[in-house]
């Protein structure tokens, strides 16, 4: 729509005034920040010059007053550093606001009042320091929810003091770049489709962008939910579920004063390093930094302290590319079983059996007396009232024994001195000899205690599979897969190798958390966890997370249509909910896709079950094409031709997707001398711009201007699992989708499941 001159002039004046206010605050903060920095440097210098004592010598009773002196300097310094960091973060926010201080406006009249208030909404708030007038409201503020949830007419929002009602008579959305107003739209609908369509028609970004300008009503409900301890989102490809999760994290931090939630209290668990890199800009752009981001493999490493663990991507590559299809199927079946609730139950029974069968209890003697009888130790290890988890029970046993030893230590030292004095004449030598004897005794005693208090989980896990009769006794009444004998043999063979397979690492981590005193120092501050690509998780994953973070809230996002090595349905989320057992759990479905054109989404839907319907945003584009080549050389010619065409269309990211990394590497080698191309490797980092080959499992969660599925033949894609792979590959495309094959095309391409 054309903007009339009066409104255009008004908005330009208001923009100039807002930017002027930003610049004024920015100038003041920069000056204050420089002064604080100088003060911090000066204080550090004064502390060094005034506290002459060595830090290493302070922690003693004799140096107590020196420690007090140091604290007199350190505590105020720490406060100033914190203030400096806060101002530095605010400076970054204001610098971004100069470019675009707001993106929307609503005119809202509160019930009981006569005039409409102009409410401007941006990435961050801006308030006049003197009058306390709000120039811009943060998109996370309560009143901003009106913009996302209502058109013109009656509206309300939830404020800390309660429900606020009123009326909206204008909704306006702006495009502001480098401090200049490009255009604006008015409409009485939730989000202006024309504006959203314009954004979606742009090229893909190398990194995910924020969606504050285009948050939909159903997305906003998820983002602002403060009641659910467990928020589960099933989202179709391109529905914005990842963006929603990150914006929810930002919203929870905005509400942090009430919820006592800061950036270091949130952990995002990403599927791989490439995806982690792709989303890394979102929270900083929303003004939130220092958020923990990890891979699940990193969690496994922290538990097991073992670098030789097969990654999930390595497992997927094995399953998808194994020359021996039976071996690949066996790896898949092993993962499915060891991730299941059935295997969790077997391990729980195994843990219950450990004190009875597998733990070597002995009478513990000290100072000539039995201070802990074997039967009593065993009884306490079996008694759940002594601790809910075996690891905690063992820790308590160890502590109780050591406390008894400590109580008798003085008496024991006296006996040792008497013993030594009969053989050594000098008092100095008596003291030293007695001390050495005491150390030797303590070392031997700790070894004896550690025989049952600290268990070797790997050796115990090996025993579980090497003794088949015992394994089957534990599995009594539990439904086992038909190939269980093959899985047991496969596991025994794997455990004899140096590298721990991913499925065994999961099981071992579960055992470790239950039978060892695992320190949670790395994660003790975590209060909220965001899990993406949850459809690839198994019950075992959530059992581990529940052991590590029993009091955390969770936001869990997935798409059961994007599984790789397994088939899932919606019951998966309810399994996770049962394991986490939160007070309030919420399940939400997002079924509207914004990424793909209507044509691409319609084509991709043939790979879905009939029961799944995905609504399109209805953005038009080219119809996907299937190209068949007579041989590999002709195939490469077709792919090169399509790359050149995409370049002419000014597409900035062109993804050549193959089923496996092995296939992607082969394609890269064939094309590298013909076009400018890169290879995206497993768990690598790269700039998602230009032309690149990438395996399907690494492309999940990403989007590209153009997608070329380069091995869409019958040999590569023919099974039910392959349908999901093709769905993943095709739905990465924003604007253009082409599929290439040699020989017979995959029969899945021509099936209509709708």
């Amino acid at each position: 729509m054309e903007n009339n001159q009066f409104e255009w002039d008004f908005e330009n004046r208001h923009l100039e005034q807002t930017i002027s206010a930003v610049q004024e605050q920015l100038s003041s903060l920069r000056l204050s920040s420089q002064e604080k920095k100088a003060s911090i440097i000066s204080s550090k210098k004064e502390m060094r010059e005034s506290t002459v004592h060595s830090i290493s010598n302070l922690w003693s009773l004799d140096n107590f007053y020196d420690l007090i002196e140091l604290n007199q300097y350190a505590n105020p310094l720490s406060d100033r550093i914190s203030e400096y960091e806060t101002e530095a973060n605010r400076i970054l926010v204001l610098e971004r606001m100069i470019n675009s201080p707001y993106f929307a406006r609503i005119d809202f009249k509160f019930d009981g009042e006569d005039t409409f208030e102009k409410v401007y909404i941006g990435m961050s708030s801006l308030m006049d320091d003197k009058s306390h007038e709000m120039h811009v409201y943060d998109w996370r503020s309560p009143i901003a929810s009106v913009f996302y949830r209502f058109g013109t007419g009656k509206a309300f929002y939830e404020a800390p003091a309660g429900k606020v009602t009123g009326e909206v008579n204008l909704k306006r959305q702006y495009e502001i770049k480098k401090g200049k107003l490009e255009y604006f739209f008015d409409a009485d609908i939730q989000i202006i489709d024309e504006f959203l369509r314009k954004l979606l028609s742009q090229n893909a970004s190398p990194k995910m962008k924020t969606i504050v300008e285009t948050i939909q009503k159903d997305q906003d409900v998820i983002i602002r939910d403060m009641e659910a301890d467990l928020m589960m989102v099933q989202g179709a490809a391109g529905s914005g579920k990842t963006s929603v999760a990150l914006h929810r994290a930002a919203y929870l931090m905005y509400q942090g004063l009430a919820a006592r939630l800061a950036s270091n209290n949130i952990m995002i668990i990403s599927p791989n390093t490439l995806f982690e890199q792709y989303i890394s800009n979102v929270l900083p752009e929303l003004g939130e930094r220092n958020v923990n981001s990890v891979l699940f493999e990193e969690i496994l490493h922290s538990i097991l302290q073992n670098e030789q663990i097969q990654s999930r991507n390595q497992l997927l590559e094995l399953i998808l590319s194994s020359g021996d299809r039976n071996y690949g199927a066996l790896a898949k079946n092993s993962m499915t079983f060891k991730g299941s609730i059935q295997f969790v139950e077997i391990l729980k029974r195994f843990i219950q059996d450990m004190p009875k069968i597998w733990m070597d209890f002995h009478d513990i003697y000290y100072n000539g007396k039995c201070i802990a009888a074997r039967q009593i130790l065993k009884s306490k290890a079996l008694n759940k009232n002594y601790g809910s988890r075996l690891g905690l029970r063992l820790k308590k046993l160890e502590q109780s024994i050591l406390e008894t030893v400590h109580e008798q230590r003085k008496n024991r030292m006296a006996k040792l001195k008497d013993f030594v004095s009969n053989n050594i004449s000098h008092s100095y030598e008596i003291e030293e000899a007695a001390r050495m004897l005491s150390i030797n005794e303590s070392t031997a005693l700790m070894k004896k205690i550690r025989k049952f208090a600290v268990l070797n989980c790997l050796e115990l896990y090996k025993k579980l599979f090497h003794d088949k009769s015992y394994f089957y006794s534990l599995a009594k009444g539990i439904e086992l897969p038909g190939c269980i004998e093959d899985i047991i043999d496969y596991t025994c063979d794997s455990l004899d190798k140096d590298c721990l397979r991913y499925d065994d690492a999961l099981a071992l981590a579960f055992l470790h958390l239950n039978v060892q005193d695992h320190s949670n120092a790395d994660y003790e501050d975590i209060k909220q966890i965001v899990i993406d690509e949850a459809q690839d998780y198994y019950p075992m994953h959530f059992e581990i997370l529940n052991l590590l973070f029993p009091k955390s809230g969770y936001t869990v996002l997935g798409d059961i249509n994007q599984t790789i090595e397994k088939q899932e349905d919606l019951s998966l989320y309810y399994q996770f909910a049962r394991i986490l057992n939160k007070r309030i759990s919420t399940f939400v479905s997002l079924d509207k896709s914004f990424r793909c054109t209507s044509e691409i989404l319609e084509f991709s839907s043939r790979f879905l079950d009939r029961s799944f319907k995905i609504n399109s945003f209805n953005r038009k584009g080219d119809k996907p094409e299937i190209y068949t080549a007579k041989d590999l050389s002709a195939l490469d010619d077709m792919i090169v031709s399509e790359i050149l065409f995409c370049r002419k269309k000014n597409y900035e990211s062109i993804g050549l997707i193959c089923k496996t990394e092995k296939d992607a590497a082969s394609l890269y080698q064939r094309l590298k001398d013909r076009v400018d191309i890169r290879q995206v490797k497993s768990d690598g980092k790269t700039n998602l711009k230009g032309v690149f080959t990438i395996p399907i499992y690494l492309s999940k969660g990403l989007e590209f201007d153009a997608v070329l599925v380069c091995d869409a033949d019958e040999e590569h894609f023919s099974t039910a699992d392959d349908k999901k792979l093709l769905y993943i590959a095709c739905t990465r495309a924003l604007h253009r989708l082409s599929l290439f094959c040699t020989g017979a095309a995959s029969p899945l391409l021509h099936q209509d499941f709708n």
Side-chain angles (χ1 to χ4, degrees):
M1 62 170 285
E2 292 187 5
N3 309 136
N4 68 59
Q5 195 60 46
F6 176 81
E7 289 293 325
W8 183 263
D9 292 343
F10 172 84
E11 292 293 358
N12 268 308
R13 285 195 305 271
H14 184 270
L15 178 60
E16 290 172 3
Q17 292 166 1
T18 305
I19 291 176
S20 177
V22 173
Q23 289 171 332
E24 184 178 343
Q25 288 194 15
L26 187 57
S27 178
S28 176
L29 271 176
R30 281 171 173 166
L31 182 61
S32 174
S33 180
Q34 289 172 359
E35 291 173 350
K36 282 187 173 64
K37 185 177 181 180
S39 174
I40 291 168
I41 294 171
S42 176
S43 295
K44 284 184 175 180
K45 183 180 179 181
E46 184 181 355
M47 186 171 69
R48 285 196 300 270
E49 294 174 350
S50 302
T51 55
V52 297
H53 304 281
S54 170
I55 298 292
S56 60
N57 294 329
L58 288 172
W59 302 100
S60 69
L61 188 61
D62 294 338
N63 294 320
F64 177 72
Y65 292 104
D66 294 332
L67 183 61
I68 292 176
E69 180 191 6
L70 182 63
N71 283 337
Q72 288 174 344
Y73 288 94
N75 291 338
L77 179 60
S78 177
D79 292 340
R80 283 199 292 274
I81 291 173
S82 179
E83 290 171 3
Y84 173 77
E85 289 175 345
T86 300
E87 285 191 353
N89 287 333
R90 181 60 181 169
I91 288 171
L92 290 174
V93 169
L94 291 172
E95 287 174 343
R96 287 197 298 270
M97 290 187 77
I98 288 178
N99 180 59
S100 181
Y102 48 81
F103 58 82
R105 164 188 158 188
I106 57 171
D107 289 2
F108 188 80
K109 183 178 71 172
F110 296 87
D111 284 349
E113 297 189 2
D114 297 327
T115 58
F116 284 86
E117 178 182 337
K118 295 178 178 64
V119 178
Y120 287 85
I121 302 167
M123 296 284 280
S124 184
S125 59
L126 180 68
M127 183 175 69
D128 189 285
D129 291 332
K130 297 176 182 177
S131 67
H132 300 294
E133 176 189 356
M134 292 297 295
H135 294 299
V136 182
Y137 286 85
D138 191 296
W139 68 275
R140 296 166 291 186
S141 63
I143 196 171
S145 67
V146 173
F147 171 71
Y148 297 114
R149 299 190 185 188
F150 295 95
T152 55
K154 290 291 183 180
F156 67 88
Y157 64 90
E158 297 291 341
K163 188 175 184 178
V164 179
T165 58
E167 182 184 352
V168 176
N169 77 341
L170 183 137
K171 285 184 65 175
R172 180 167 288 176
Q173 205 155 353
Y174 307 89
E175 180 71 10
I176 301 171
K177 292 181 178 179
K178 297 181 180 180
K180 302 294 183 182
L181 179 61
E182 301 282 328
Y183 59 86
F184 60 84
F185 291 102
D186 290 349
D188 62 356
I189 58 176
Q190 175 200 338
I191 293 290
I192 302 162
D193 282 357
E194 186 177 351
F195 183 84
L196 180 52
R197 193 171 285 108
K198 183 177 184 299
L199 289 179
L200 294 172
S201 65
Q202 297 174 359
N203 284 329
S205 171
K207 291 191 176 184
M208 181 179 283
K209 296 179 179 179
T210 65
I211 60 167
V212 294
E213 299 173 342
T214 57
I215 293 171
Q216 306 292 289
K217 182 179 180 179
D218 51 354
Q219 296 173 334
D220 190 66
V221 170
I222 298 168
I223 290 169
R224 294 176 187 264
D225 187 298
M226 292 290 292
E227 298 296 322
D229 304 302
L230 170 60
M231 170 64 72
M232 296 177 292
V233 181
Q234 160 62 29
S239 60
K241 56 184 177 293
T242 301
S243 293
V244 167
L246 297 173
H247 286 68
R248 172 168 168 79
Y251 179 79
L252 291 173
M253 282 182 274
Y254 179 82
Q255 299 291 334
L257 187 62
R260 297 179 181 177
L261 197 69
S263 59
N264 66 317
N265 301 136
I266 293 181
M267 174 184 285
I268 297 170
I269 304 179
S270 299
N272 54 63
T273 54
L274 187 64
F275 183 82
E276 192 175 40
Q277 177 193 0
Y278 178 62
I279 67 172
S280 61
N281 275 3
V282 175
L283 286 171
E285 285 181 3
L286 294 172
E288 304 295 347
R289 299 178 179 274
N290 304 318
V291 175
N292 300 281
S293 180
V294 301
L295 309 183
F296 202 93
E297 283 99 310
E298 292 173 328
I299 295 176
L300 292 180
H301 283 297
S302 74
I303 297 170
L304 301 176
Q305 298 296 306
N306 185 342
E307 296 296 323
Q308 298 299 314
I309 298 176
Q310 179 190 48
S311 71
R312 172 165 166 77
N313 286 337
Q314 288 171 332
L315 172 65
L316 293 176
E317 184 70 16
L318 171 66
I319 292 172
L320 297 177
S321 68
S322 176
D324 184 346
R325 288 182 179 267
N326 291 331
Y327 190 77
L330 182 56
K332 170 186 169 181
N333 292 332
S334 180
M335 180 68 252
T336 301
F337 171 65
K338 290 172 188 167
S340 68
I341 54 176
Q342 288 81 9
F343 191 55
V344 168
E345 179 58 30
I346 290 172
L347 289 181
K348 287 180 178 179
R349 294 177 183 182
F350 184 43
I351 293 164
Q352 288 177 349
D353 262 5
M354 283 181 186
K356 302 176 188 174
I357 301 173
W358 303 107
M359 293 174 62
D360 191 16
F361 293 102
H362 294 278
D363 294 335
I364 303 297
Y365 287 87
Y366 185 73
N367 198 23
K369 298 178 181 178
C370 180
I371 60 172
R374 178 176 63 86
Q375 288 299 330
I376 294 175
L377 290 171
K378 187 173 183 177
S379 175
K380 287 182 177 180
L382 288 166
N383 187 358
K384 288 190 176 182
N385 293 327
Y386 202 62
S388 58
R389 296 190 343 227
L390 178 59
L392 297 177
R393 298 199 297 272
L394 295 177
K395 184 63 177 177
K396 285 184 178 181
L397 282 180
E398 183 181 24
Q399 288 174 342
S400 68
I401 295 169
L402 294 178
E403 286 171 4
T404 304
V405 170
H406 184 73
E407 291 170 1
Q408 300 183 23
R409 182 164 287 169
K410 285 185 179 179
N411 182 263
R412 181 58 181 167
M413 279 300 294
K415 286 187 177 181
L416 289 173
K417 287 178 183 179
D418 288 341
F419 171 78
V420 173
S421 64
N422 295 325
N423 301 296
I424 302 175
S425 57
H426 302 290
S427 61
Y428 176 77
E429 293 174 339
I430 290 171
E431 290 284 345
E432 282 297 301
R435 188 175 67 84
M436 291 304 299
L437 285 173
S438 177
I439 292 172
N440 290 336
E441 275 192 351
S442 298
T443 302
L445 182 65
M446 286 304 301
K447 285 182 179 178
K448 198 166 187 178
I449 296 171
R450 291 292 171 100
K451 282 184 178 180
F452 63 83
V454 180
L455 304 177
N456 189 321
C457 292
L458 179 57
E459 291 304 315
L460 286 166
Y461 186 67
K462 287 179 179 178
K463 290 177 180 179
L464 173 63
F465 285 94
H466 279 96
D467 190 337
K468 286 186 181 181
S469 61
Y470 177 67
F471 178 92
Y472 286 121
S473 71
L474 288 178
K476 189 175 180 180
I478 295 174
E479 184 179 355
L480 298 174
C483 58
I484 187 62
E485 283 283 332
D486 293 332
I487 291 173
I488 293 174
D489 293 339
Y490 170 79
T491 304
C492 289
D493 180 65
S494 298
L495 292 174
D496 292 334
K497 297 182 170 69
D498 292 334
C499 182
L500 195 64
R501 295 199 185 277
Y502 183 75
D503 52 349
D504 291 318
L506 283 174
L508 200 58
F510 178 79
L511 278 182
H512 198 286
L513 290 173
N514 277 285
V515 306
Q516 301 281 41
D517 177 42
H518 179 72
S519 174
N520 195 23
D522 294 341
Y523 308 127
E524 60 187 6
D525 294 329
I526 302 301
K527 298 178 181 178
Q528 184 70 215
I529 294 174
V530 177
I531 301 172
D532 208 347
E533 303 294 345
Q535 75 280 352
D536 293 331
Y537 284 51
Y538 292 82
M540 184 67 80
H541 287 92
F542 279 87
E543 291 281 357
I544 292 169
L545 291 172
N546 199 37
L547 288 167
L548 283 173
F549 314 104
K551 297 180 180 179
S552 292
Y554 288 81
T555 302
V556 178
L557 308 105
D559 180 9
I560 58 173
N561 293 308
Q562 294 189 60
T563 56
I564 291 185
E565 83 284 11
K566 59 175 179 167
Q567 299 289 314
E568 291 289 0
D569 56 35
L570 293 177
S571 66
L572 180 74
Y573 297 103
Y574 299 101
Q575 284 185 16
F576 297 162
R578 283 197 299 271
I579 293 168
L580 297 176
N581 193 30
K582 296 301 176 181
R583 182 177 59 88
I584 300 176
S585 298
T586 302
F587 176 82
V588 181
S589 181
L590 298 175
D591 61 0
K592 191 171 195 177
S593 179
F594 299 94
R595 177 186 297 140
C596 307
T597 63
S598 299
E599 291 78 6
I600 292 173
L601 191 64
E602 183 181 358
F603 180 88
S604 303
S605 295
R606 70 186 61 196
F607 307 120
L608 299 181
D609 188 86
R610 287 190 180 91
S611 60
F612 273 91
K613 298 294 182 183
I614 300 177
N615 297 314
S616 170
F617 181 65
N618 199 29
R619 180 170 62 89
K620 297 296 181 181
D622 297 333
K623 185 179 179 182
E625 296 287 346
I626 302 172
Y627 301 94
T628 302
K630 62 180 180 179
D631 54 35
L632 209 58
S633 177
L635 177 77
D636 293 346
D637 290 341
M638 288 180 176
I639 292 173
V640 170
S641 177
E642 177 67 12
I643 292 171
L644 295 175
F645 177 83
C646 291
R647 282 176 170 173
K648 287 180 181 178
K649 299 270 287 187
N650 294 318
Y651 293 149
E652 293 182 3
S653 62
I654 304 168
L656 277 57
I657 300 182
C658 301
K659 184 175 184 179
T660 69
E661 187 171 307
K662 182 180 177 181
D663 295 325
S666 175
L667 180 63
Y668 168 76
Q669 290 296 328
R670 299 197 316 264
L671 300 184
K672 66 179 183 176
D673 295 328
R674 301 181 63 180
V675 292
D676 184 11
I677 191 171
R678 287 175 291 109
Q679 180 187 355
V680 178
K681 296 182 179 181
S682 182
D683 291 333
K685 293 185 177 182
T686 189
N687 185 355
L688 296 174
K689 230 176 173 182
V691 184
F692 44 85
T693 64
I694 185 171
I696 288 177
Y697 55 82
L698 282 184
S699 73
K700 289 176 55 169
L702 309 178
E703 59 185 30
F704 317 123
D705 293 324
V707 165
L708 284 64
V709 182
C710 298
D711 50 7
D713 52 72
E714 186 174 15
E715 183 181 350
H716 283 89
F717 298 95
S718 58
T719 68
D721 287 347
D722 292 335
K723 279 198 299 179
K724 300 293 180 73
L725 293 176
L726 284 171
Y727 175 73
I728 294 167
C730 293
T731 53
R732 300 309 95 197
L734 274 164
H735 310 303
R736 184 172 176 85
L737 171 65
S738 304
L739 300 96
F740 300 83
C741 57
T742 53
S746 167
L748 303 174
L749 298 179
H750 304 289
Q751 293 183 32
D752 185 0
F753 296 94
N754 297 316

